[in-house]
């Protein structure tokens, strides 16, 4: 009979790496925590998504929303 390696406890090592928090989203209506390998950096600021950076740029007048 074949044993499932995951059930038997061998064959797969569990990762003990816990992602480190690197900051929070800079958009004033968002306060989401950002961890290693996540988000977008623009002009020295961190954003959690393209939505947040887009809204921030529109509010600052650096971009124009043509769909409005």
């Amino acid at each position: 009979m074949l044993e499932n390696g995951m059930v038997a406890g061998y064959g797969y090592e569990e990762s003990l790496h816990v992602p480190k928090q690197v900051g929070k989203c800079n958009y004033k209506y968002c306060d989401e925590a950002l961890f290693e390998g996540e988000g977008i950096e623009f002009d020295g600021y961190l954003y959690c998504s393209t939505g947040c950076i887009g809204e921030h740029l529109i509010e600052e007048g650096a971009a124009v929303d043509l769909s409005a």
Side-chain angles (χ1 to χ4, degrees), residues 4-68:
N4 183 331
M6 292 182 73
V7 175
Y10 60 88
Y12 296 96
E13 288 187 30
E14 185 175 328
S15 174
L16 299 177
H17 176 70
V18 177
K20 181 176 134 184
Q21 185 174 344
V22 294
K24 292 190 175 193
C25 183
N26 189 59
Y27 184 49
K28 66 182 173 183
Y29 299 114
C30 182
D31 199 27
E32 186 169 328
L34 295 170
F35 295 89
E36 295 172 315
E38 293 182 338
I40 300 164
E41 182 182 350
F42 178 74
D43 204 23
Y45 296 104
L46 296 174
Y47 299 91
C48 66
S49 67
T50 56
C52 284
I53 191 172
E55 290 296 322
H56 180 83
L57 291 172
I58 290 169
E59 289 177 7
E60 292 293 316
V64 177
D65 184 3
L66 299 176
S67 65

